[in-house]
Amino acid sequence: MRIAVTGASGNVGTAVLRALATIRPDDTVVGLSRRTPQSDGHAEPYRSAEWVQVDLARPESEHVLVETFSGVDVVVHLAIAFQPMRDRRYLREVNVGGTGRVARACARAGVAHLVHMSSSGVYAPGAYGRKVDESWPRTGVSASTYSMDKAAAEDVLDEFEKLNPGVVVARLRPGLIGQYEFGSALLRYALPDLIPSFVVDHVPVLPIDRAFAVPAVHADDIAVAVVRVLERRSSGPFNVGAPTPVVAQDVAHELGARIIPVPARLLTSAVHAGFTTHVLPIHHGWVALAFTTPMLDTTRAERELLWKPVMDGPDVLRETVRGMREGGATTSPALRERSAGDRVRSFLRRGFVSRGKPS
């Protein structure tokens, strides 16, 4: 097959390239990214793909997509923008508008199968700590821009399917996705540029609600699910997550911190105040989402895709935190090392979190 992967240089994209190279080495892979990785001999898994640079925030990107998708059998849409968290227009343009452009380009180019990376964040509140299947309402969490964009992107696909019945559309809804190589990028999202990465080794206390429990899954397990979907030309939604959630004590243990119990509502308000005053780069919606996302019933994926995660939730957290401590990274710009030089360059380019630009 000829497979196009948007967001191929990111967290999940890197894992998907690894999986395709291992499981389907004879396929041709086209990677699309806003910042393409260096395709030199030391840049696996990136050197095995053909690369196209495209920014899905731009309306004119649809023309590039149509040209790139010509002759492609399946498109795996992984591209997403997390930053800048203060630029709501940009995030919406990539995450919702970009999904529409990818879908329309599939129809125009004659692509038969679209695999979309959605999220457990699409699910409505009301089942925290309980497992839900794919029929749970997907209205999202209003406080979370990420959640609302993911829900809106699925609405876009609903309308697309009605107008284009010839394109098979599948949607994967994972929990928190981690891997070692995501460590540096995660710190770049969570910490201001002026704060060094070694702060992870010095977290004495963790203010958190003891009820905290989120579904998690390893990027490599997600990648296997993607391959199973494209091999079977599957359609519809699939929950994908490890059986054991990540709970508050897991986080405290991996950080070597002592829990200070703080109610979820108070914690959300505190992060909201920090974000509003430009002290914190993290939007409070991520905290709200963490205390509303349900556990995932993965029966459909297990039955129809014959999918089982290799790594459990707490182990995903352990590997990801190790990546944060050890500077887990790749040669991709999206997963680059968060070194001292990188932090200085990023600060000079973006300034304080109040003026954050895409990095």
Side-chain angles (χ1 to χ4, degrees):
M1 285 196 291
R2 185 172 177 84
I3 304 166
V5 182
T6 72
S9 64
N11 182 29
V12 181
T14 296
V16 167
L17 293 185
R18 281 198 302 257
L20 289 172
T22 302
I23 302 172
R24 302 185 59 87
D26 295 329
D27 288 342
T28 300
V29 179
V30 182
L32 297 93
S33 178
R34 182 172 64 86
R35 297 164 300 166
T36 58
Q38 295 179 350
S39 301
D40 57 35
H42 303 286
E44 289 291 7
Y46 308 111
R47 68 174 178 177
S48 60
E50 304 170 10
W51 286 96
V52 175
Q53 189 169 15
V54 62
D55 186 351
L56 295 184
R58 299 180 178 275
E60 60 269 24
S61 65
E62 190 168 333
H63 300 296
V64 178
L65 295 173
V66 173
E67 182 179 348
T68 304
F69 293 169
S70 178
V72 164
D73 298 291
V74 57
V75 169
V76 180
H77 179 41
L78 309 176
I80 183 172
F82 295 109
Q83 292 180 323
M85 294 187 189
R86 299 177 189 279
D87 192 341
R88 185 72 187 94
R89 185 205 62 78
Y90 178 81
L91 296 180
R92 186 81 173 183
E93 198 61 53
V94 174
N95 300 334
V96 183
T99 297
R101 284 185 271 278
V102 168
R104 290 191 299 272
C106 284
R108 292 173 59 188
V111 177
H113 194 191
L114 171 59
V115 182
H116 171 68
M117 186 59 61
S118 185
S119 168
S120 59
V122 301
Y123 289 127
Y128 194 65
R130 307 200 315 268
K131 287 186 176 182
V132 303
D133 65 16
E134 292 83 357
S135 66
W136 187 260
R138 44 160 239 252
T139 54
V141 177
S142 60
S144 168
T145 57
Y146 167 82
S147 173
M148 296 307 291
D149 281 355
K150 281 297 187 181
E154 288 218 29
D155 291 340
V156 168
L157 293 178
D158 288 345
E159 187 64 24
F160 173 79
E161 286 185 284
K162 292 177 185 176
L163 298 175
N164 300 275
V167 182
V168 175
V169 179
R171 315 164 192 217
L172 296 177
R173 296 175 182 162
L176 179 69
I177 304 172
Q179 62 175 320
Y180 177 83
E181 293 83 353
F182 190 45
S184 285
L186 190 57
L187 287 178
R188 199 156 43 243
Y189 295 144
L191 297 178
D193 292 323
L194 296 180
I195 296 182
S197 300
F198 62 71
V199 71
V200 179
D201 293 320
H202 304 280
V203 182
V205 295
L206 177 68
I208 194 170
D209 193 316
R210 290 189 181 276
F212 175 84
V214 296
V217 65
H218 195 278
D220 286 338
D221 285 326
I222 288 291
V224 170
V226 168
V227 174
R228 298 281 172 84
V229 167
L230 63 87
E231 287 181 333
R232 290 161 173 77
R233 203 164 178 255
S234 301
S235 64
F238 294 92
N239 286 343
V240 277
T244 308
V246 171
V247 299
Q249 189 56 52
D250 294 328
V251 180
H253 176 74
E254 295 308 322
L255 293 177
R258 178 173 58 87
I259 290 179
I260 295 181
V262 178
R265 183 173 298 181
L266 180 59
L267 186 60
T268 303
S269 298
V271 174
H272 179 270
F275 185 77
T276 302
T277 58
H278 305 281
V279 173
L280 297 176
I282 290 290
H283 190 275
H284 56 279
W286 287 103
V287 181
L289 185 62
F291 287 99
T292 51
T293 301
M295 300 298 107
L296 300 175
D297 181 339
T298 60
T299 300
R300 184 172 188 240
E302 295 168 13
R303 181 181 65 248
E304 297 187 23
L305 304 179
L306 303 180
W307 178 84
K308 280 278 191 179
V310 172
M311 189 170 290
D312 209 359
D315 297 320
V316 174
L317 173 69
R318 184 173 302 112
E319 180 181 312
T320 304
V321 172
R322 183 166 61 86
M324 294 166 67
R325 286 199 166 100
E326 298 176 359
T330 73
T331 57
S332 159
L335 299 183
R336 67 188 184 276
E337 182 184 2
R338 188 180 187 264
S339 63
D342 176 74
R343 291 192 295 109
V344 171
R345 288 189 296 270
S346 181
F347 176 76
L348 292 175
R349 183 178 66 253
R350 299 189 305 176
F352 291 100
V353 293
S354 60
R355 304 197 314 273
K357 299 177 181 178
S359 62

